[in-house]
Amino acid sequence: MVTNFDLTEEQQAVRDTVRRFARERIAPIAAERDRTGEFPRETIQELAEMGILGIGFPEEDGGSGGDTLSYILAVEELSRVDGSHGITLAAHCSLGVWPIHAFGTPEQKARYMPKLCSGEYLSSFGLTEPDAGSDAGGTRTTAVLDGDEWVLNGAKQFITNASYSGVLVITAKTERTASGSRGISAFLVETDAPGFELGKKEDKLGLRASDTRALSFQDCRIPKDALLGELHRGFPLFMKTLDGGRISIAALALGIGQSALDAAVPYSMQRRQFGQPICEFEMIQSHLAEMQTEITAARHLTYHAARLKDAGRRHTLESAMAKYYAATVTMKATTLAIQILGGYGYTKDYPVERYFRDAKLCEIGEGTSEIQKIVIARELVKLYA
Amino acid sequence: MKIAVCVKQVPSSEARVQLAADGKSVALADAEMVVNPYDEFAVEEALRIKEARGGGEVIVVSVGPESAQAEVRKCLAMGADRGIVVQDPALLGGDGLSTARILAAVLAELQPDLVLCGKLTIDVESDLVAVGLAELLGLPHAALVTHIEWTGERTLRARREIEGGREVVELGLPALISVEKGINEPRYASLKGIMAAKRKPIEVARPDLPAERVGPGAAGVRVVAVAPPPERTGGRKFAGEAEVIVSQVVELLRSEAKVL
């Protein structure tokens, strides 16, 4: 907004186009969809027609082109108006499409990438299980080879976009005797596979218009060539996937944090108490100054992580820092926005309570803040080793 | 078919503009700049005509500062084929007729089959350029058009919104049409469009026009003062029985506000 962040003309064009779309098409429905929890199929379809569901993937794979930073700007701008749209795009691109793009065989890419990038269907990533959240090594879903087919058994939890996906990337234990994170493989499961079932739709605190469901596999049979990446080597695959995914959750947080400022600053200029606008009171100034500084710092961290990924450089540390920090400051910014709006902020007549509820997910999804700190500390120790 | 669309860079309608120190202009400073919304309808209509015919060329023409190339680029991202800009400071700063003369010089060389313009630009709202341009080029002109129907390869019927009704006029190409809101809903640029726009050419044209015809010195109309709208005063509240209040309000609307 104030700083230019050295975006290229193309990145600015993507940001401006998505910003305008979000203002004109999403803003009018955001509050209502938060209330009803209805998935915004129409606007996601419009984004698909604009090529946004294939952003960051090369045209030869069926993608729309553009770099990671352009994609991050798109997630941020959607989230600035509605976090549910932001997370839908983030989960689709980073968690669903990216592993297929990065680890798929030419056949797998040809089969799925064009459909995913054109928005014919969405995709999801099934890692979390009822008993395996932060501890991905605790995966209990199993895959056993039976002739030409893998047979899957188990359950997944909190899977974003599941109802609208045509194909899922899931993890399953393929080597029973291996312990911890070893012996896990990744698979591509088409949602019409026999034995696959969608579970209940979660009734969530925030991001209520995004689709989050449990999944189950009961003797679910998928072809032998549905293995994604190397057998038993799924753990590094999804760790790399999450490295990218975390940048997009940082962008989700940034968008929500910016929306808190967008609401709080004009309100503080217009609301008068004791004969003056409240933005002239030092304690309100303190809140606004912290919000602006911290959101700007989070934006620098997030764009930096995206640029490292674009340069093909390692970004585990940077994406974990971006996600951890952006989530933390956004939770704080949305809390302060409610504080600045006072009683009005606590009601559904103003949008800040929605931002506050939506922000909380950023501290939990795709690795909790606690997990991010573990990643950051481990990477840090490596730097000094 | 060669379609030329005239577009202008204008401040967004949401931009906060301030009176400049000279009292005759507004300071745009950091205002967000956009394609004039009516010109965007014209670009969209041109693209639809090209798409329906399965071919042709859409050329965006703009007169303005160098920064206006960004708005031309936005039109290219929507799907226009190329741009022509006139950005010579010596030519800028005139009135609407001056702008029309510059555009006429560019279009005379371009020889388009159809020229599309917005009905006005939301910054100065002089409503002069389209009609001036049609006159200078000697083209048949329909203004405030909300629908175009092709009756032949080079003939069309244009529906115009007029006071209290609609008028349908028939024109043959070449022609100039200025469009009104409602003619279409402009598309959002696609990602592929944004990428492709980078590679589309924008030519800087330097029409040879004498100083007495264009620019500030040639302006027939000069802005001598600009003022913000008067501050809104507080409303008046009426309390009591509805029947009583209604007649009070009606009376005041008649005697004080004089709107009835």
Side-chain angles (χ1 to χ4, degrees), chain B residues 106-125:
Chain B
V106 174
L107 296 181
E109 202 172 313
L110 200 60
Q111 293 288 324
D113 300 291
L114 177 64
V115 182
L116 292 173
C117 301
K119 71 162 181 177
L120 56 79
T121 58
I122 63 167
D123 52 355
V124 291
E125 295 195 23

Side-chain angles (χ1 to χ4, degrees), chain A residues 132-186:
Chain A
S134 296
D135 177 15
T139 298
R140 293 210 185 144
T141 298
T142 57
V144 177
L145 193 61
D146 177 28
D148 275 348
E149 290 177 324
W150 290 98
V151 183
L152 303 175
N153 277 289
K156 296 288 175 183
Q157 188 70 283
F158 307 132
I159 309 306
T160 308
N161 293 343
S163 317
Y164 302 95
S165 290
V167 64
L168 314 149
V169 179
I170 67 122
T171 55
K173 199 94 182 165
T174 40
E175 210 176 15
R176 270 167 205 263
T177 50
S179 62
S181 60
R182 279 174 305 204
I184 296 174
S185 307

Side-chain angles (χ1 to χ4, degrees), chain A residues 126 128-129 141-142 151-157 159 168-172 187-191 193-198 214-222:
Chain A
T128 300
E129 298 191 355
T141 298
T142 57
V151 183
L152 303 175
N153 277 289
K156 296 288 175 183
Q157 188 70 283
I159 309 306
L168 314 149
V169 179
I170 67 122
T171 55
F187 294 93
L188 294 166
V189 183
E190 295 187 12
T191 45
F196 168 79
E197 227 173 288
L198 281 175
L215 315 175
S216 72
F217 308 95
Q218 279 188 336
D219 292 325
C220 172
R221 303 185 83 88
I222 56 171

Side-chain angles (χ1 to χ4, degrees), chain A residues 10 20 24-25 50 55 66, chain B residues 40 188-191 195 198:
Chain A
E10 184 183 300
R20 181 172 174 186
E24 293 176 356
R25 307 287 303 155
M50 289 161 68
I55 188 168
Chain B
E40 218 169 34
Y188 294 94
S190 72
L191 207 52
M195 306 294 166
K198 274 194 308 190

Side-chain angles (χ1 to χ4, degrees), chain A residues 69 247 298-310 313 315 318 321:
Chain A
L69 186 48
I247 312 175
R299 184 169 287 122
H300 278 284
L301 276 175
T302 307
Y303 293 1
H304 176 59
R307 284 180 166 131
L308 286 177
K309 186 165 189 290
D310 277 329
R313 291 167 63 184
H315 51 276
E318 289 75 10
M321 289 196 299

Side-chain angles (χ1 to χ4, degrees), chain B residues 46-90:
Chain B
L47 295 174
R48 290 186 187 191
I49 293 168
K50 179 185 159 179
E51 284 159 5
R53 294 189 168 218
E57 190 182 24
V58 175
I59 305 148
V60 174
V61 185
S62 187
V63 176
E66 200 181 332
S67 66
Q69 280 200 23
E71 272 53 52
V72 172
R73 196 70 72 187
K74 286 177 191 169
C75 301
L76 300 184
M78 286 172 73
D81 298 289
R82 62 187 171 103
I84 300 175
V85 295
V86 178
Q87 56 192 34
D88 183 351

